Amino acid sequence: MAQLKPGSRLKSAVCDTEVMLIAAPGGDVDVTCGGAALVGIADEPPAGATLASDAADGTQLGKRYINEAGDLELLVTKPGKGSLASDGTPLTVKGAKPLPASD
Amino acid sequence: MMLLEMAAQGFGSRVAIQNGGDCLSYDELYRAAGAAAREFRDSKADHVSLLDVSSLAVPVALFASAWAGLPFVPLNYRLSGPELAALMARINPALLLTDDERASNLRTPAGIQVRGRDSFLEAARSATSPESNDWETDPDAIAILLFTSGTTGIPKAAVLRHKHLVSYILGSVEFGAAGEDDAALVCVPPYHVAGMAALLSSVYAGRRVVQLANFDAQSWLDLARKERVTNAFVVPTMLAQIIDALEGQTRADLPHLRSLSYGGGKMPLSVIEKAMALFPEANFTNAYGLTETSSTITILDPDDHRTAANSEDDAVRRRLVSVGRALPSIEIEIHDEAGLPVAAGERGEICVRGEQVSGEYLGTGSLLNEAGWFPTRDAGHLDAEGYLFLEGRIDDVIVRGGENLSPGEIEDVLLEHEAVADAAVVGIPDERWGEGVAAAVVLKTGCQASDEELKDWVKRHLRSSRVPQQIGFRDQLPYNETGKLLRRRVREDLAGEA
């Protein structure tokens, strides 16, 4: 996958999942959902792609997903059936660090 | 728009915004924003402006502007006709939402289309579902233009882009964090950054917003009680008025109020100490931020408040008058006049860096330096633990015989005197020193103090150059409606007396 910039919006090629990129390591990043590479929010998903059965645990709305190194972070803006992974390793939900409401 | 879409997906049937007996759920707000966006696009205006108090039309217009890809420009309805005309000329062509009475008294330049708030809202609410989710998604597009209060000159139009606001929300709010019964009382006007930030934060958290269009302390207390408000934000002058309205009571009797946050001006120690006693169940948070930083950049959290209030250590206790520490997504440094960072405890200009920081004005561009720091023009210092103390505006520094004096430092000492309720220190023209120190002081009801006594008090705590050469006693100090001290008026007043 091409280089990504924080703030970019992407979607799954095989389910309803949509994400926004919060943080990304420099260089090429490989992120998949449901086993297929994410595509740009306005792009047509490639024809024929289907949800891989070993990557179908689902995504949760409003949760942040990170890789093991902690340099890749995605926010799920629309949930779906696929699960997110980078370089073949599933992303995990980042624990929330609550701040007091300030406004 | 992304934030609202997420909220509508996550908790669509919850009440999003409530005004009196009327309300909008997240689903309804989303649909109304889609319909209003169509109207905005069809109008061919370049901006959507609002000249009105808080109403359900405010969130609809805010999100519809984002949907249509147009900047939303809330204007200060307390400005005079000529002042408003000058601001409108800067956003022409625009669609202006206002109430019918204001519309009839308003002289608008050609190119400004006036739209009545009630009929706008009715049309947006009665529309069918949006045909598609065709909102603009450019993170660099302008979301909100806010005119600064212009206490020192012509108002500047601060530019907040979608990327700044989204960074602020994602950096400070967890999606859907609010419980079903949470409600935030919003009493700051829509033209203030805190009013905008409160809407965005509450929508993303899933917290019901209860609007109070015109603040007065008794209405605030009544509404908070009736609506079982759990969260509220006030500026210091509002909190002082709320405390006055509770006179004679030992506690406020608002058992649902869990979180009371404040900011937008200097909070006197006596006010916050009284408030903590009157609202024993509430968690207090002090938030410091600027329009140009998309609202909050530091917070003094509830634990900080309790630790400071209960501490025997003066340095820790003093943190109650600090504005706390930087948000995790924000960096703060104090810079000297050469732009270099200074050590803890040293005074200088507060500089801030982070994704939510815009530091940009329409027409003049970005004030961020090459390394991304925004100079706030606020003076202050950090303590060893990173707590930030404000010391007024850089431009308010008094230069007396070549020595730079901070009004805030002198004000703090005056405010510690048992008879002093409020104090403002300004520089006045002085033949010998260039500038001299003058103070306007408000005494507490029933208390007495002579100007000699107050001068002695300052002399005992600070170097003699800081002792006011002139003290004027006043019934009250001039503040604007959002709690900002109008220093220029104090200066004119005291200089006229000298």
Side-chain angles (χ1 to χ4, degrees), chain A residues 10-90:
Chain A
L10 305 161
K11 66 181 178 189
S12 169
V14 295
C15 73
D16 292 334
T17 299
E18 290 183 7
V19 299
M20 189 176 87
L21 198 65
I22 305 284
D28 289 356
V29 191
D30 167 60
V31 193
T32 56
C33 181
L38 294 178
V39 297
I41 196 85
D43 297 344
E44 273 303 310
T50 52
L51 182 67
S53 58
D54 60 349
D57 291 335
T59 51
Q60 293 177 62
L61 177 66
K63 295 290 183 197
R64 294 150 189 257
Y65 288 79
I66 52 169
N67 65 355
E68 232 167 81
D71 56 3
L72 174 71
E73 182 173 339
L74 301 167
L75 172 73
V76 172
T77 60
K78 195 177 253 186
K81 288 184 178 154
S83 36
L84 293 162
S86 176
D87 293 324
T89 311

Side-chain angles (χ1 to χ4, degrees), chain B residues 58-111:
Chain B
V58 176
V60 172
L62 169 66
F63 287 107
S65 301
W67 192 313
L70 298 174
F72 181 61
V73 196
L75 297 173
N76 183 347
Y77 46 81
R78 292 168 207 264
L79 295 178
S80 67
E83 287 171 319
L84 284 170
L87 297 186
M88 281 189 269
R90 292 162 67 181
I91 53 166
N92 205 343
L95 185 80
L96 179 74
L97 294 168
T98 189
D99 71 281
D100 292 339
E101 195 190 329
R102 273 200 185 85
S104 62
N105 294 328
L106 207 61
R107 294 184 55 185
T108 47

Side-chain angles (χ1 to χ4, degrees), chain B residues 209-263:
Chain B
V209 167
V210 178
Q211 295 178 320
L212 175 60
N214 292 299
F215 176 85
D216 74 82
Q218 198 54 51
S219 308
W220 188 92
L221 286 163
D222 294 345
L223 192 58
R225 211 164 278 142
K226 175 163 172 265
E227 293 298 336
R228 303 185 165 203
V229 161
T230 55
N231 297 61
F233 172 87
V234 289
V235 299
T237 45
M238 291 173 175
L239 190 57
Q241 288 169 35
I242 290 165
I243 289 171
D244 284 348
L246 290 167
E247 194 170 340
Q249 299 177 38
T250 50
R251 52 200 296 171
D253 189 28
L254 291 176
H256 299 282
L257 187 67
R258 288 198 311 266
S259 162
L260 186 53
S261 56
Y262 59 93

Side-chain angles (χ1 to χ4, degrees), chain B residues 449-457 467-473:
Chain B
S450 67
D451 69 343
E452 283 312 314
E453 186 181 340
L454 292 178
K455 286 175 185 174
D456 280 346
W457 173 262
V467 176
Q469 63 193 49
Q470 180 192 336
I471 293 180
F473 293 95

Side-chain angles (χ1 to χ4, degrees), chain B residues 323-385:
Chain B
V323 292
R325 290 191 277 195
L327 295 181
S329 50
I330 284 287
E331 295 171 89
I332 303 255
E333 283 185 0
I334 307 296
H335 290 179
D336 63 17
E337 282 174 15
L340 298 170
V342 301
E346 278 183 50
R347 182 178 307 161
E349 179 169 16
I350 299 167
C351 292
V352 55
R353 183 163 71 175
E355 299 281 335
Q356 73 185 65
V357 178
S358 135
E360 181 190 349
Y361 304 105
L362 207 62
T364 47
S366 171
L367 296 188
L368 267 53
N369 73 11
E370 280 173 11
W373 291 100
F374 171 61
T376 61
R377 303 304 291 159
D378 277 339
H381 71 269
L382 289 164
D383 75 6
E385 303 280 323

